[in-house]
Amino acid sequence: MQHKSKMAGADGDDSLYPIAVLIDELRNEDVQLRLNSIKKLSTIALALGVERTRTELLPFLTDTIYDEDEVLLALAEQLGNFTMLVGGPEYVHCLLPPLESLATVEETVVRDKAVESLRKISQEHSPVDLEVHFEPLVKRLASGDWFTSRTSACGLFSVCYPRVSSTVKAEIRQHFRTLCSDDTPMVRRAAASKLGEFAKVLELDYVKSDIISLFTALASDEQDSVRLLAVEACVSIATLLPQEDLETLVMPTLRQAAEDKSWRVRYMVADKFSELQKAVGPEITKNDLVPAFQNLLKDCEAEVRAAAANKVKEFCENLPEDSRETIIMTHILPCVKELVSDTNQHVKSALASVIMGLSTILGKDNTVEHLLPLFLAQLKDECPEVRLNIISNLDCVNEVIGIRQLSQSLLPAIVELAEDAKWRVRLAIIEYMPLLAGQLGVEFFDEKLNTLCMAWLIDHVYAIREAATCNLMKLVEKFGAEWAQNTIVPKVLGMANDPNYLHRMTTLFCINALSEVCGQDITTKQMLPVVLKMSNDQVANVRFNVAKSLQKIGPVLDSNALQTEVKPVLEKLDTDTDMDVKYFAQEAISGKYTTLSIFFLYEVASLGPLHLVILIHFSP
Amino acid sequence: METTKLPPTSPSSPTTGFSVPSAEKVDGFPRRSMRRARQRRSHSSSQFRYQSSQVELTPLPLLKDAPVAELHNLFCKKLQQCCVLFDFLDCVADLKGKEIKRAALNELVESVATSRGVLIEPLYPEAIKMISVNIFRTLPPSENPEFDPEEDEPTLEASWPHLQLVYEFFLRFLESPDFQPSMAKRYVDQKFVLQLLELFDSEDPREREYLKTILHRVYGKLLGLRAYIRKQINNIFLRFIYETEHFNGVAELLEILGSIINGFALPLKSEHKQFLVRVLIPLHTAKSLSIFHAQLAYCVVQFMEKDATVTEYIIRGLLKYWPKTCTQKEVMFLGEIEEILDVIEPSQFIRVQEPLFKQITACISSPHFQVAERALYFWNNEYILSLIEENSQVILPLVFTTLYRVSKEHWNQTIVSLIYNVLKTFMEMNSKLFDDLTASYKVDKQKELKRERERAELWRGLEEQKERRLQTLGETSRNQKNLQERGEPPQPSSPQTTLPKQPDLKPSGPSSTT
């Protein structure tokens, strides 16, 4: 083999591989192998050296661009990081031809990656190279026959505009203008989505003269998919313009978008409402956006109402302080009240996820008088997601009025969710338990919620039982080991005698979770005997979980218990007839090895200064 | 000049024998029942946003009782009356008005369908206006965001009782012997057609069915709009493929295209070839292919029958987009390949046989037995078998190793026995070659393993070299840094100094190893 003999003679020195061998790898019939080779293109380029990478590898790559999209995607990504491999910034333009072809490919993912790489390497071009090599490429793409190259061009204008001469700048603006009125909607969409970005690099005068007219045109395009993208651009454009120009240049279009006949456009306005609000400033917000927001909250399409409902808190937060409360109380709150009893559950649940945030803005009195009834209504909503969203945000209200106001209504809501027929709902409420326990306090918890937490341990869905054990651990972290010893541990250990082996296993899982937070004393004295006893269980699954548990709680136990109690049991399990039990017993024994051996050394070292060193050495 | 063949009034879609009915899917999870549990959302339609005050309708005299002089005037008044829209989500709202409009629409339909001389020029703008007002609307958001046309019940259009009659009227209007394309084209313009095409996204299959027939009539009668319609369908497809992956009317549009392709003049214009290569073939990548695959395959085969020279584009395109993970789609692709092979010209077959049979071989070795089985069925097709026989010198060496291996390894007995049959066929076809291949099977396998080892060796070497170079690079830059810190003038960081010096270039002749 040719290259092998070279390697042998290379003696650590750099050797050259014949390019044909490497290219064969890039041409392998098997796509997966081809893909692997492309992903290691930098290795190949390093092997070839900068000059041959430029003169031989890149032309090959440019010529053979017809391949599977996955390979092309990898290639497009690699080329973005290739500058050093072709000899640094002064040669970076060598990468343009393959990337140009990739930017015209049909598959969006490939094209987008090629554009991303082109944007990246554009920064490595000197201003001269940018005009000589990069900008002509952009122009070629912008006037390509097929829509793919024109869409790619849209993403490249903004990276070269700031660094070219004013004549070239004028050309770039002209190209962008042309693409904004392209006859394929795909290109117009691409242009509309880059409008904001392009506006940011333009001189203010051109923003006013060029961008505004393009923006107006795109915002009244015949296709709603184009119009809605103009809404996004609106945010950037409004940020760039001085306040006094907004009214004449931007607002007519924005008003029109908020009233568009397509719900998709109105949805977009609702979705971008906070950004729009910040971009147009407090005065326009007061006069224009408040009524627009009211309309969106009352929109006939549920999608739009839900998007607007999501923004209620942010919108209220960002209102000018002097008139915030009045606006909320007179304009927003009435709409919010209606949304509480909306016919659509997504709308209600979107509202429920933010409505609690209003209490911090409105203060204690308003919250008690106006918001509390809404919270309570949503806590009783028929849809579990709505109730969950309220419960998950209780902390906001807690700060303002304290949770006690709600606890009467809270309890039935929690109980109902805890017993919901859908296990995902039950799972969600379990996850809020530690938070609720913290806010409601230990007494309330013991009295009302403890039974629920224990009931979840015998749920028929494993995910719930698992979450319930994890929940217990978090509760003990909150309420302390003593509380655990009195309320939880006896119940958990009692389940070890349950006739159902799944419940017996739950005991083990709980012990795994609780041993560390409960500490050595409880673990050794109360939990360990139960675990050891279960090693005689008739179900193999329980027995091998005993082995796993012993491994898990080992670090919490003292050396004496490990040696005298754990070790014999594990050794017995190691001789079990079931092969899984054996396996886990061995795992536990070997896993314990380090811990056990430390204790062994500890004994031998007889308290000399050496043992400290050893301990430090071995402890994880 | 292109001609179009009008489809029968109730177009039956070409069916394929291999598609798996959804009821028989192996996956037994009750997805449907889970989805059912979703609360049905109620939403009002965007259509009523701008109708501020509801107009009270009063019944007009019947058309059939009107004196001839009054007829057109009354017809016009009825058209205007039908421009009033009603809220069908509130099923008890304004029942009287709804009934009046329904009756009026019925009369209009009947009149256009049966009586001659009704359609006079002044009625065109009124009729088109009535149609536009009723049918053009922004379609509401789908009730089910992950709507799966195969699994879920579609949301039906609430205002169908009126909408159906409006569509019926439009259809009768277009089909009327009095219909004058020269007059209609002033009102049925590009903007109108664009809106019509957008409606194909409707979730209601009844609506799409009407739209299909109507668009077909428009295409057939208004020649000036043809190129525009084709272009806009292209745009819809491209958006579907590359942007949204969602459009409900792909099957219907393809069905129309099937008959349009049939009417293409020969030789094919480059616009049409481009449509095949850049739109129809990439459509195969769609996730929801199964919904429109039959129609798509029909279009593809139509192209081949028109002009055999596109065969290579088609086959290579399908091979490029061959499904990697979805076996259900793989079976569909194999079905389409068989449809294509059924009509392929032997001269074209030779051009594609190598890549094609590599793929077929890959399918035969698929662990999914339906894929393997579908591929092996090719050998039951007499025409395909004759093509294979003519080219057995090329094909047999391509498939032999795999057949031999899979016959020993496949878990499914049906596949194994099918493979034995195929091997037997080959043995009878070309026993000399078969014996040679059997004899060299082991040697070939060894060679393959050797190649594998050499590849691994090559890459190991390359990686080592990379490590070394990166190390040297690191050292160089460290040295430079040290130099700079000692206050010496910084070196220009050109590649000549940062990279280790290249050894002299050696001629890179073709490798003798491969």
Coordinates of all heavy atoms in Angstrom, one line a residue, chain A residues 428-479:
Chain A
A428 N -47.7 16.5 36.8 CA -47.5 18.0 36.9 C -47.7 18.5 38.3 O -46.9 19.3 38.8 CB -48.3 18.7 35.9
I429 N -48.8 18.1 38.9 CA -49.1 18.6 40.3 C -48.1 18.1 41.3 O -47.7 18.9 42.2 CB -50.6 18.3 40.7 CG1 -50.9 19.1 42.0 CG2 -50.9 16.9 40.9 CD1 -51.1 20.5 41.8
I430 N -47.6 16.9 41.1 CA -46.6 16.4 42.1 C -45.4 17.3 42.0 O -44.8 17.6 43.1 CB -46.1 15.0 41.7 CG1 -47.3 14.0 41.9 CG2 -45.0 14.5 42.6 CD1 -47.0 12.6 41.5
E431 N -45.0 17.7 40.8 CA -43.8 18.6 40.7 C -44.0 19.9 41.4 O -43.0 20.5 41.8 CB -43.5 18.8 39.2 CG -42.7 17.6 38.8 CD -42.7 17.4 37.2 OE1 -43.1 18.3 36.5 OE2 -42.2 16.3 36.8
Y432 N -45.2 20.4 41.7 CA -45.4 21.6 42.4 C -45.5 21.4 43.9 O -45.5 22.4 44.6 CB -46.6 22.4 41.9 CG -46.4 22.8 40.5 CD1 -47.2 22.4 39.5 CD2 -45.3 23.6 40.1 CE1 -47.0 22.8 38.2 CE2 -45.1 24.0 38.8 CZ -46.0 23.6 37.9 OH -45.8 23.9 36.6
M433 N -45.6 20.2 44.3 CA -45.8 19.9 45.8 C -44.7 20.5 46.7 O -45.1 21.2 47.6 CB -45.8 18.4 46.0 CG -47.2 17.8 45.9 SD -48.2 18.6 47.2 CE -49.8 18.5 46.4
P434 N -43.4 20.3 46.4 CA -42.4 20.9 47.3 C -42.6 22.5 47.4 O -42.6 23.0 48.5 CB -41.1 20.6 46.6 CG -41.4 19.4 45.8 CD -42.8 19.6 45.3
L435 N -42.9 23.1 46.3 CA -43.1 24.5 46.3 C -44.3 24.9 47.1 O -44.3 25.8 48.0 CB -43.4 25.0 44.8 CG -43.5 26.5 44.6 CD1 -42.1 27.2 44.7 CD2 -44.1 26.8 43.3
L436 N -45.4 24.2 46.9 CA -46.7 24.4 47.7 C -46.4 24.2 49.2 O -46.8 25.0 50.0 CB -47.8 23.5 47.2 CG -48.4 23.8 45.9 CD1 -49.3 22.7 45.5 CD2 -49.2 25.1 46.1
A437 N -45.7 23.1 49.5 CA -45.4 22.8 50.9 C -44.7 23.9 51.5 O -45.0 24.3 52.7 CB -44.6 21.5 51.0
G438 N -43.7 24.5 50.8 CA -42.9 25.6 51.4 C -43.8 26.8 51.6 O -43.7 27.4 52.7
Q439 N -44.8 27.0 50.7 CA -45.6 28.2 50.9 C -46.7 28.0 51.9 O -47.1 29.0 52.6 CB -46.2 28.6 49.5 CG -45.1 29.3 48.7 CD -45.5 29.4 47.2 OE1 -46.6 29.0 46.8 NE2 -44.6 30.0 46.4
L440 N -47.2 26.8 52.0 CA -48.4 26.6 52.9 C -47.9 26.3 54.3 O -48.7 26.4 55.2 CB -49.3 25.5 52.3 CG -50.0 25.8 51.0 CD1 -50.5 24.6 50.3 CD2 -51.1 26.8 51.2
G441 N -46.7 25.8 54.5 CA -46.2 25.5 55.8 C -46.5 24.1 56.2 O -47.4 23.4 55.7
V442 N -45.7 23.6 57.2 CA -45.7 22.2 57.6 C -47.1 21.7 58.1 O -47.5 20.6 57.9 CB -44.5 21.9 58.5 CG1 -44.7 22.5 59.8 CG2 -44.4 20.3 58.6
E443 N -47.7 22.6 58.9 CA -49.0 22.2 59.6 C -50.0 21.9 58.5 O -50.7 20.8 58.5 CB -49.5 23.3 60.5 CG -49.0 23.2 61.9 CD -49.4 24.5 62.6 OE1 -50.5 24.8 62.6 OE2 -48.4 25.1 63.2
F444 N -50.2 22.9 57.7 CA -51.2 22.7 56.6 C -50.9 21.5 55.8 O -51.8 20.7 55.4 CB -51.2 24.0 55.7 CG -52.3 24.0 54.7 CD1 -53.5 24.6 55.0 CD2 -52.1 23.4 53.4 CE1 -54.5 24.7 54.0 CE2 -53.1 23.5 52.5 CZ -54.3 24.1 52.8
F445 N -49.6 21.3 55.5 CA -49.2 20.2 54.7 C -49.6 18.8 55.4 O -50.2 18.0 54.8 CB -47.7 20.2 54.5 CG -47.3 19.1 53.6 CD1 -47.3 19.2 52.2 CD2 -46.8 17.9 54.1 CE1 -46.9 18.2 51.4 CE2 -46.4 16.9 53.3 CZ -46.5 17.0 51.9
D446 N -49.2 18.7 56.7 CA -49.5 17.5 57.4 C -51.0 17.2 57.4 O -51.4 16.0 57.2 CB -49.0 17.5 58.8 CG -47.5 17.3 58.9 OD1 -47.0 16.7 57.8 OD2 -46.8 17.6 59.9
E447 N -51.7 18.2 57.6 CA -53.1 18.1 57.8 C -53.8 17.7 56.4 O -54.7 16.8 56.4 CB -53.7 19.4 58.3 CG -55.1 19.3 58.9 CD -55.5 20.7 59.4 OE1 -54.6 21.4 60.0 OE2 -56.6 21.1 59.1
K448 N -53.4 18.4 55.4 CA -54.2 18.2 54.1 C -53.5 17.5 53.0 O -54.2 16.8 52.2 CB -54.6 19.6 53.6 CG -55.0 20.6 54.6 CD -56.5 20.6 54.8 CE -56.9 21.7 55.7 NZ -58.3 21.6 56.2
L449 N -52.2 17.6 52.9 CA -51.6 17.1 51.7 C -50.8 15.8 51.9 O -50.5 15.1 50.9 CB -50.7 18.2 51.1 CG -51.4 19.5 50.7 CD1 -50.4 20.5 50.2 CD2 -52.4 19.2 49.6
N450 N -50.5 15.5 53.1 CA -49.6 14.4 53.3 C -50.2 13.1 52.8 O -49.5 12.3 52.1 CB -49.3 14.2 54.8 CG -48.1 13.3 55.1 OD1 -47.4 13.0 54.1 ND2 -47.9 12.9 56.3
T451 N -51.5 12.9 53.0 CA -52.1 11.7 52.5 C -52.0 11.5 51.0 O -51.8 10.5 50.5 CB -53.6 11.7 52.9 OG1 -54.0 13.0 53.2 CG2 -53.9 10.7 54.0
L452 N -52.2 12.7 50.3 CA -52.0 12.7 48.9 C -50.6 12.2 48.5 O -50.5 11.3 47.6 CB -52.2 14.1 48.3 CG -53.6 14.7 48.2 CD1 -53.5 16.1 47.6 CD2 -54.4 13.8 47.3
C453 N -49.6 12.7 49.1 CA -48.3 12.4 48.8 C -48.0 10.9 49.0 O -47.3 10.3 48.2 CB -47.3 13.2 49.6 SG -47.3 14.9 49.1
M454 N -48.6 10.3 50.0 CA -48.4 8.9 50.3 C -49.2 8.1 49.2 O -48.7 7.0 48.8 CB -48.8 8.6 51.7 CG -48.0 9.2 52.8 SD -46.2 9.4 52.5 CE -45.7 7.7 52.7
A455 N -50.4 8.6 48.9 CA -51.2 7.8 47.9 C -50.5 7.7 46.6 O -50.7 6.7 45.9 CB -52.6 8.5 47.8
W456 N -49.8 8.7 46.2 CA -49.1 8.7 44.9 C -48.1 7.5 44.8 O -47.7 7.0 43.8 CB -48.4 10.0 44.6 CG -49.3 11.0 44.1 CD1 -50.3 10.9 43.2 CD2 -49.2 12.4 44.5 NE1 -50.9 12.1 43.0 CE2 -50.2 13.1 43.8 CE3 -48.4 13.2 45.3 CZ2 -50.5 14.4 43.9 CZ3 -48.6 14.5 45.4 CH2 -49.7 15.2 44.7
L457 N -47.6 7.1 46.0 CA -46.6 6.0 46.1 C -47.2 4.7 45.6 O -46.4 3.8 45.2 CB -46.0 5.8 47.5 CG -45.1 6.9 48.0 CD1 -44.8 6.6 49.5 CD2 -43.8 7.0 47.2
I458 N -48.5 4.6 45.6 CA -49.1 3.3 45.1 C -49.9 3.6 43.9 O -50.8 2.8 43.6 CB -49.9 2.6 46.2 CG1 -50.9 3.6 46.8 CG2 -49.0 2.0 47.3 CD1 -51.9 2.9 47.7
D459 N -49.6 4.6 43.2 CA -50.2 4.9 41.9 C -50.0 3.7 40.9 O -49.0 3.0 41.1 CB -49.7 6.2 41.3 CG -50.6 6.8 40.2 OD1 -50.6 6.2 39.1 OD2 -51.3 7.7 40.5
H460 N -50.9 3.5 40.0 CA -50.6 2.4 39.1 C -49.7 2.7 37.9 O -49.4 1.9 37.1 CB -51.9 1.8 38.6 CG -52.8 2.7 37.8 ND1 -53.7 3.6 38.4 CD2 -52.8 3.0 36.5 CE1 -54.2 4.3 37.5 NE2 -53.7 4.0 36.3
V461 N -49.3 4.0 37.8 CA -48.4 4.4 36.8 C -47.0 4.6 37.4 O -46.8 5.3 38.4 CB -48.8 5.7 36.1 CG1 -47.8 6.2 35.1 CG2 -50.2 5.5 35.4
Y462 N -46.0 3.9 36.8 CA -44.7 4.0 37.4 C -44.1 5.4 37.5 O -43.5 5.8 38.5 CB -43.7 3.1 36.5 CG -42.3 3.2 37.0 CD1 -41.9 2.6 38.2 CD2 -41.3 4.0 36.3 CE1 -40.6 2.7 38.7 CE2 -40.0 4.1 36.8 CZ -39.7 3.5 38.0 OH -38.4 3.6 38.5
A463 N -44.4 6.2 36.4 CA -43.8 7.5 36.4 C -44.3 8.3 37.6 O -43.6 9.2 38.1 CB -44.2 8.3 35.1
I464 N -45.5 8.1 38.0 CA -46.1 8.8 39.2 C -45.4 8.3 40.4 O -45.0 9.1 41.3 CB -47.6 8.6 39.3 CG1 -48.3 9.1 38.0 CG2 -48.2 9.2 40.5 CD1 -48.2 10.6 37.8
R465 N -45.2 7.0 40.6 CA -44.6 6.5 41.8 C -43.2 7.0 41.9 O -42.7 7.4 42.9 CB -44.5 4.9 41.7 CG -45.9 4.3 41.7 CD -45.8 2.8 42.1 NE -45.0 2.0 41.2 CZ -45.5 1.4 40.1 NH1 -46.8 1.6 39.7 NH2 -44.7 0.7 39.3
E466 N -42.5 7.1 40.7 CA -41.1 7.6 40.7 C -41.1 9.1 41.1 O -40.3 9.5 42.0 CB -40.6 7.4 39.3 CG -39.1 7.7 39.2 CD -38.7 7.8 37.7 OE1 -39.5 8.1 36.8 OE2 -37.5 7.5 37.4
A467 N -42.0 9.8 40.5 CA -42.1 11.3 40.9 C -42.4 11.4 42.4 O -41.9 12.3 43.1 CB -43.1 12.0 40.0
A468 N -43.3 10.5 42.9 CA -43.7 10.6 44.3 C -42.5 10.4 45.2 O -42.4 11.1 46.2 CB -44.8 9.6 44.6
T469 N -41.6 9.4 44.9 CA -40.4 9.2 45.7 C -39.5 10.4 45.7 O -39.0 10.9 46.7 CB -39.6 8.0 45.3 OG1 -39.4 8.1 43.9 CG2 -40.3 6.7 45.6
C470 N -39.4 11.0 44.5 CA -38.5 12.2 44.4 C -39.1 13.3 45.2 O -38.4 14.1 45.8 CB -38.4 12.5 42.9 SG -37.4 13.9 42.6
N471 N -40.4 13.4 45.2 CA -41.2 14.5 45.9 C -40.9 14.3 47.4 O -40.6 15.3 48.1 CB -42.7 14.3 45.6 CG -43.5 15.2 46.4 OD1 -43.2 16.4 46.6 ND2 -44.6 14.7 47.0
L472 N -40.9 13.1 47.9 CA -40.7 12.9 49.3 C -39.3 13.4 49.7 O -39.1 14.0 50.7 CB -40.7 11.4 49.7 CG -42.1 10.7 49.7 CD1 -42.0 9.3 50.2 CD2 -43.1 11.5 50.5
M473 N -38.3 13.1 48.9 CA -37.0 13.6 49.1 C -36.9 15.1 49.3 O -36.4 15.7 50.2 CB -36.0 13.1 48.0 CG -34.6 13.5 48.2 SD -33.6 13.0 46.9 CE -34.0 14.2 45.7
K474 N -37.6 15.8 48.3 CA -37.6 17.2 48.4 C -38.3 17.8 49.6 O -38.0 18.8 50.2 CB -38.2 17.8 47.1 CG -37.3 17.6 45.9 CD -37.9 18.3 44.7 CE -37.1 18.0 43.5 NZ -37.9 17.9 42.3
L475 N -39.4 17.0 50.0 CA -40.1 17.5 51.2 C -39.2 17.4 52.4 O -39.2 18.2 53.3 CB -41.4 16.6 51.4 CG -42.5 16.9 50.4 CD1 -43.6 15.9 50.5 CD2 -43.1 18.3 50.5
V476 N -38.5 16.2 52.5 CA -37.6 16.1 53.7 C -36.5 17.2 53.7 O -36.2 17.7 54.7 CB -37.0 14.7 53.6 CG1 -36.0 14.5 54.8 CG2 -38.0 13.6 53.7
E477 N -36.0 17.5 52.5 CA -35.1 18.6 52.4 C -35.7 19.9 53.0 O -35.0 20.7 53.6 CB -34.7 18.9 50.9 CG -33.6 17.9 50.5 CD -33.4 18.1 49.0 OE1 -34.0 18.9 48.3 OE2 -32.6 17.3 48.4
K478 N -37.0 20.1 52.8 CA -37.6 21.3 53.3 C -37.9 21.2 54.8 O -37.7 22.1 55.6 CB -39.0 21.5 52.6 CG -38.8 22.3 51.3 CD -40.0 23.2 51.1 CE -39.6 24.3 50.2 NZ -39.3 23.9 48.9
F479 N -38.5 20.0 55.2 CA -39.0 20.0 56.6 C -38.1 19.3 57.6 O -38.3 19.2 58.8 CB -40.4 19.2 56.6 CG -41.5 19.9 55.8 CD1 -42.5 19.2 55.3 CD2 -41.5 21.3 55.8 CE1 -43.5 19.9 54.6 CE2 -42.5 22.0 55.1 CZ -43.5 21.3 54.5

